[in-house]
Amino acid sequence: MTILTRLANNGVQGAMKPFVASRHASHFNFIPSVADPSLGETTKMNLFTAINSAMDITLDKDKTALIFGEDVGFGGVFRCTNELRNKYGSDRVFNTPLCEQGIAGFGIGAAVAGATVIAEIQFGDYIFPAFDQITNEAAKYRYRSGSEFECGKLTIRTTWGCVGHGGLYHSQSPEAYFSHTPGLKVVIPRGPIQAKGLLRACIEDPNPCVFFEPKILYRSAVEEVPVGDYLLPLEKAEIIKEGKDITLVGWGTQVHVIREAAEMAEKELGISCEVIDLQSILPWDLESVANSVSKTGRLIVSHEAPITSGFGAEIASSIQKECFLNLEAPIERVCGYDTPFPHVFETFYIPSKWRVFDAIKKTINF
Amino acid sequence: MASRLLKLTRLSGLTKRSTCTDQFRLNEYSTKYLGNREVTFTETLSFEDSHHSKAIPIYRVTKSDGQFLNPKDDPHFDKEQAMKMYKSMTLLSNMDKVLYDSQRQGRISFYMTNSGEEGCHVGSAAALNPSDLVYAQYRETGVLMYRGFPLSSMMNQCYGNEKDLGKGKHMPVHFGTKDYHFVTISSPLTTQLPQAVGSAYAFKRDGSKKVVIVYFGDGAASEGDAHAAFNFAATLRAPVIFFCRNNGYAISTPTSEQYAGDGIAGRGAGYGIHTIRVDGNDLFAVYNATKAAREVAVNENRPVLIEAMTYRVGHHSTSDDSTAYRTAEEVEEWKSKDSPIERFSKYIIGKGYWSEDEDKAWTAQARREVLKAFNAAEQIKKLPPSEVFNDVYDSLPRHLQRQAGELKEHLKEYGQHYPLENFNKH
């Protein structure tokens, strides 16, 4: 894991950027969001500094709060925990042995005993050893005990999504596995403002949360982020662009891909697209998506994860039921193929803006 | 550190071809890699052969006849304490008999007895503070019994009725109670071990001076979570007591197919954990070891591993017939030769705390109390069907509100096909 970690990290940090850029251009353009002015003073942050800010605020406000995982002590392989150990002490920000099931189990136990827990799994790809602890234990703690015990103060952060050259085990999007687990909340932000507000919301939420951070955005996504504390609502989608002909739903980095495809479709085909960032995978905001599709009559869901049993299937099926009389074309899913995530073929694997664009065209012409 | 360095310098001075480099490396390996344990080079090619080393000895305080081997090890329980222990063990074994039989009659769906391991439960529970947090596997009901968890609550759990603290969600014997600091049991084995470490770490920080004890069987110790927990507890210095009940079997699997090393205790040193192996049928040995372990945990913030050697006298569960993989003679031999309850009864009789007549009367009373609680629990209805949706989250999300509505509508039309008479209406 270590060598691969370093490789992926260096890539994100930019040490290998010229080489990466020469292979293929980035598959999306990050367009900064504008924070609600009521949230106060802002400063430029990228995604990792926004995450760091959310954790800094938590440690400052909540003396029980702990942050731990592999290599978080020196600042983390993606710099998300930078300086936190110096500021809050090594009993609150500390390295664990290299063992994901241990990290999750330890986190659950600390939360059971009343601590606020932010546990890090270094890559979403390595969350599977902790799958039993997360799905059989964390998710079911409250239910099985009749609320005698719960681990609602647990938040598990992990990286997520493709990064250009991550191959099989530094690219995965495992959200659908967790979406099938009642008791969990699963959240994915699209940029720094959302990352900070949604992570703070996950930490404060009285239920165990899995928070996926699109690692390709750690450095590349920069915008004006409120410096103070704020929470963005969980279980709520955000319409980031209004439209009337077709609804596009995505989350994480893919929101930027579908927005670009939407702009291409407007410019080249005159199609008005409504773009929705789902943000919360579980529980998800069926109402917002259904309202949009009732208006537009068409839906495309797009995610990086493989198509079969991906979360797009849940959305398509639910919307088909809710909006049967409004639908004017089959719901389309533009997703990763049903293969492991490949290294040199990444550009052909991911649901690119061209594939989304093509799906928009075909759905409109149906 | 200075004295350590000097020592190492002296040590490497003894090595024949020692050099400056050797000293540097030995010092580095010792201080940075090996937790300051002294290390030397050797020029002899030799494997550490665990098969020829002696096993960790089994700490005992009394012989099978209940006599103390060394009077200084007698914890001198007063009558109240000793009788509380004895009554906890015997009440448990009476409850086991009733609930085992009731499962055979189909009155509850499942049960697991504790026969032969009562001394482990009560001896360890008595050495803890009542607010120390317990994580159990499932065969530790005696800990709850000792802490005074009411019989009625146990029966309510097995029936899953509306008074069950777990609200009828969990299989029988999956007890849990915040008031008695006993974390709700879950079926996946060993998941509770790293959790116990996390709780202990939180206690270390909150200044409450509480420790955590976590129970598990010899089979569960093979799970990856056991490795995770031992290692996390040692590196993060958590005040946790790992209490392994080594009863010889994991369902049908004998320990010879579970591990090849020196039991579970043999693993402790490898993790840097204080470790002891005790006679699990000797309540006094279990008590003394747990009490000492608690001191280490709370004063030094270090984990302790206790391996209690015992024997699973009963079947694994009501879904298991153990004669399919072990002989009835083997079981009988353990029962007749070494019962933790009988060993302890010799102590209380010897001390003049108890007599055989009192014992007879108590057995009858214990059985009556169990039956009374059992019959009462059987009469209590279960929570309404809408309870299915509660406690998934702290509140009902929209999709669960919708699904609760769907079930309600469904039961309006098809209710006659469901056993609604056993459930409350609202």
Side-chain angles (χ1 to χ4, degrees):
Chain A
M1 194 185 300
T2 318
I3 290 169
L4 287 174
T5 300
R6 294 274 145 71
L7 276 176
N9 187 25
N10 286 341
V12 173
Q13 284 185 358
M16 295 171 71
K17 234 175 189 164
F19 176 55
V20 172
S22 72
R23 284 192 300 175
H24 55 78
S26 171
H27 74 286
F28 67 97
N29 283 318
F30 177 78
I31 298 171
S33 305
V34 178
D36 187 329
S38 72
L39 299 177
E41 188 199 338
T42 63
T43 190
K44 252 191 180 49
M45 293 188 201
N46 60 26
L47 194 95
F48 87 67
T49 51
I51 297 284
N52 183 279
S53 170
M55 292 195 280
D56 191 355
I57 287 169
T58 305
L59 288 166
D60 185 51
K61 283 178 72 155
D62 179 350
K63 300 303 171 207
T64 74
L66 306 173
I67 295 176
F68 52 83
E70 294 158 13
D71 304 303
V72 304
F74 86 112
V77 299
F78 290 106
R79 313 313 298 154
C80 292
T81 49
N82 223 1
E83 287 305 318
L84 296 178
R85 181 171 66 183
N86 290 342
K87 208 166 162 186
Y88 298 101
S90 56
D91 67 322
R92 300 187 64 194
V93 181
F94 53 91
N95 292 336
T96 64
L98 201 164
C99 179
E100 286 75 14
Q101 65 195 96
I103 292 169
F106 180 90
I108 292 168
V112 165
T116 295
V117 175
I118 306 170
E120 177 180 310
I121 302 289
Q122 204 163 71
F123 284 84
D125 311 64
Y126 307 127
I127 203 167
F128 299 111
F131 198 70
D132 184 43
Q133 285 285 357
I134 297 170
T135 58
N136 267 335
E137 295 291 316
K140 298 171 174 66
Y141 233 93
R142 186 194 305 274
Y143 192 73
R144 72 185 186 206
S145 72
S147 281
E148 285 287 291
F149 294 93
E150 43 89 11
C151 59
K153 289 183 157 188
L154 171 70
T155 300
I156 296 177
R157 296 173 42 237
T158 187
T159 69
W160 173 94
C162 73
V163 67
H165 53 280
L168 279 78
Y169 304 111
H170 297 81
S171 308
Q172 292 180 62
S173 301
E175 64 271 20
Y177 291 102
F178 295 96
S179 72
H180 198 58
T181 306
L184 291 180
K185 293 195 175 178
V186 180
V187 179
I188 310 174
R190 73 170 184 278
I193 294 169
Q194 296 76 27
K196 182 175 171 183
L198 290 170
L199 178 56
R200 282 287 301 133
C202 283
I203 293 165
E204 296 291 322
D205 190 85
N207 298 284
C209 298
V210 180
F211 190 77
F212 289 110
E213 298 164 6
K215 57 182 151 326
I216 202 168
L217 301 178
Y218 274 139
R219 283 167 189 275
S220 65
V222 182
E223 61 195 12
E224 285 289 328
V225 179
V227 293
D229 190 17
Y230 61 97
L231 273 57
L232 292 175
L234 302 181
E235 303 170 44
K236 194 86 195 88
E238 187 186 343
I239 296 168
I240 61 167
K241 183 188 157 326
E242 297 206 0
K244 56 183 177 46
D245 297 330
I246 187 166
T247 303
L248 309 182
V249 174
W251 49 90
T253 323
Q254 198 61 14
V255 172
H256 307 295
V257 175
I258 59 178
R259 170 154 56 189
E260 216 175 320
E263 278 157 13
M264 285 160 58
E266 296 211 353
K267 208 184 281 169
E268 294 178 24
L269 310 169
I271 296 164
S272 163
C273 303
E274 183 144 304
V275 179
I276 298 181
D277 177 2
L278 197 64
Q279 299 190 126
S280 278
I281 305 300
L282 184 71
W284 67 286
D285 187 357
L286 169 65
E287 281 73 7
S288 290
V289 179
N291 287 341
S292 174
V293 176
S294 298
K295 177 176 75 178
T296 62
R298 292 177 173 86
L299 173 64
I300 291 172
V301 186
S302 184
H303 55 66
E304 285 177 20
I307 188 164
T308 298
S309 298
F311 196 67
E314 178 58 41
I315 297 173
S317 155
S318 299
I319 294 299
Q320 183 268 145
K321 187 179 175 195
E322 289 295 313
C323 307
F324 188 71
L325 295 176
N326 302 88
L327 282 169
E328 290 170 38
I331 297 168
E332 190 57 88
R333 290 181 287 155
V334 185
C335 305
Y337 297 114
D338 287 334
T339 71
F341 199 105
H343 186 219
V344 303
F345 306 106
E346 174 163 329
T347 185
F348 305 108
Y349 170 87
I350 55 172
S352 67
K353 63 187 172 193
W354 298 109
R355 281 175 58 198
V356 179
F357 175 80
D358 185 48
I360 295 171
K361 203 160 77 175
K362 285 175 175 157
T363 302
I364 291 291
N365 292 334
F366 180 81
Chain B
M1 197 55 73
S3 64
R4 174 73 66 184
L5 276 173
L6 278 175
K7 220 169 170 185
L8 279 168
T9 312
R10 267 204 316 277
L11 199 71
S12 45
L14 296 172
T15 315
K16 271 184 201 156
R17 285 178 295 278
S18 75
T19 63
C20 223
T21 315
D22 287 348
Q23 270 177 37
F24 165 75
R25 287 164 65 210
L26 284 174
N27 190 46
E28 285 281 294
Y29 289 141
S30 169
T31 56
K32 293 187 182 158
Y33 295 46
L34 303 171
N36 289 320
R37 288 171 183 83
E38 281 182 11
V39 64
T40 58
F41 290 114
T42 175
E43 286 74 40
T44 309
L45 197 165
S46 160
F47 295 102
E48 299 289 329
D49 183 355
S50 82
H51 288 96
H52 290 102
S53 58
K54 266 175 112 175
I56 293 171
I58 303 164
Y59 168 69
R60 64 173 176 168
V61 173
T62 62
K63 291 187 283 186
S64 298
D65 62 5
Q67 294 299 307
F68 280 88
L69 288 144
N70 189 341
K72 78 167 172 46
D73 291 332
D74 182 352
H76 297 293
F77 296 132
D78 62 17
K79 184 176 176 182
E80 191 191 354
Q81 166 82 339
M83 291 320 299
K84 186 178 171 189
M85 292 173 141
Y86 182 71
K87 288 190 171 177
S88 299
M89 289 194 285
T90 45
L91 188 58
L92 174 61
S93 91
N94 277 290
M95 183 177 91
D96 275 353
K97 279 182 206 126
V98 170
L99 290 186
Y100 184 83
D101 290 345
S102 76
Q103 194 283 334
R104 300 278 101 173
Q105 297 162 5
R107 292 164 80 180
I108 58 173
S109 63
F110 178 78
Y111 194 68
M112 301 179 104
T113 63
N114 301 275
S115 323
E117 301 180 41
E118 298 93 340
C120 293
H121 307 179
V122 171
S124 57
L128 299 169
N129 287 357
S131 61
D132 287 339
L133 190 64
V134 177
Y135 280 86
Q137 179 168 303
Y138 48 62
R139 209 184 300 282
E140 294 91 1
T141 309
V143 175
L144 276 172
M145 205 62 105
Y146 182 81
R147 287 192 167 189
F149 191 57
L151 276 178
S152 56
S153 299
M154 298 199 201
M155 303 299 167
N156 292 336
Q157 198 283 329
C158 290
Y159 272 107
N161 64 31
E162 67 163 341
K163 298 232 168 105
D164 168 23
L165 293 172
K167 301 179 188 168
K169 307 288 175 57
H170 231 338
M171 280 174 83
V173 308
H174 291 59
F175 304 113
T177 157
K178 205 176 177 105
D179 287 349
Y180 296 84
H181 308 281
F182 190 99
V183 179
T184 302
I185 290 165
S186 75
S187 314
L189 287 178
T190 329
T191 48
Q192 79 277 21
L193 265 72
Q195 294 171 18
V197 179
S199 291
Y201 188 90
F203 289 157
K204 177 173 83 168
R205 282 200 70 247
D206 73 13
S208 60
K209 292 276 170 194
K210 287 194 280 191
V211 305
V212 179
I213 190 164
V214 55
Y215 296 90
F216 57 105
D218 49 276
S222 295
E223 291 281 1
D225 274 333
H227 161 66
F230 297 150
N231 201 22
F232 275 55
T235 56
L236 298 169
R237 299 194 59 162
V240 60
I241 301 169
F242 295 106
F243 193 107
C244 178
R245 298 173 293 97
N246 190 338
N247 64 16
Y249 290 93
I251 306 186
S252 74
T253 305
T255 49
S256 60
E257 292 165 23
Q258 198 64 249
Y259 53 75
D262 176 17
I264 310 306
R267 299 174 196 172
Y271 291 100
I273 297 180
H274 285 53
T275 301
I276 190 169
R277 173 174 283 150
V278 302
D279 181 346
N281 292 357
D282 181 352
L283 185 148
F284 297 99
V286 173
Y287 176 86
N288 287 353
T290 310
K291 203 162 180 61
R294 193 184 185 283
E295 292 296 307
V296 170
V298 78
N299 294 331
E300 298 178 33
N301 284 319
R302 285 189 189 282
V304 181
L305 170 61
I306 299 173
E307 182 184 26
M309 308 303 281
T310 182
Y311 183 79
R312 195 194 77 212
V313 171
H315 301 299
H316 164 68
S317 73
T318 48
S319 309
D320 169 54
D321 172 11
S322 67
T323 58
Y325 50 82
R326 64 180 184 182
T327 62
E329 292 76 41
E330 176 185 310
V331 178
E332 272 315 306
E333 204 147 9
W334 274 96
K335 268 167 94 170
S336 62
K337 288 200 170 131
D338 194 30
S339 145
I341 294 178
E342 275 179 35
R343 247 163 112 168
F344 194 71
S345 76
K346 284 172 184 149
Y347 175 81
I348 52 176
I349 289 171
K351 287 262 185 189
Y353 295 159
W354 199 236
S355 68
E356 285 191 7
D357 285 347
E358 282 173 297
D359 200 60
K360 263 189 202 135
W362 160 247
T363 305
Q365 186 197 333
R367 194 175 160 78
R368 266 199 314 278
E369 281 179 19
V370 169
L371 284 168
K372 197 174 136 201
F374 180 79
N375 290 326
E378 199 168 34
Q379 304 305 317
I380 300 171
K381 283 197 175 187
K382 294 163 179 49
L383 287 166
S386 59
E387 181 56 33
V388 169
F389 302 97
N390 292 341
D391 292 331
V392 179
Y393 296 94
D394 67 306
S395 57
L396 277 196
R398 282 174 291 184
H399 70 292
L400 287 187
Q401 288 174 24
R402 197 163 44 237
Q403 289 168 29
E406 286 166 13
L407 175 60
K408 196 175 167 191
E409 286 304 306
H410 176 72
L411 290 176
K412 259 188 206 159
E413 195 171 342
Y414 294 92
Q416 72 273 24
H417 302 297
Y418 295 84
L420 288 177
E421 64 281 6
N422 300 333
F423 296 81
N424 282 326
K425 285 212 166 63
H426 297 292

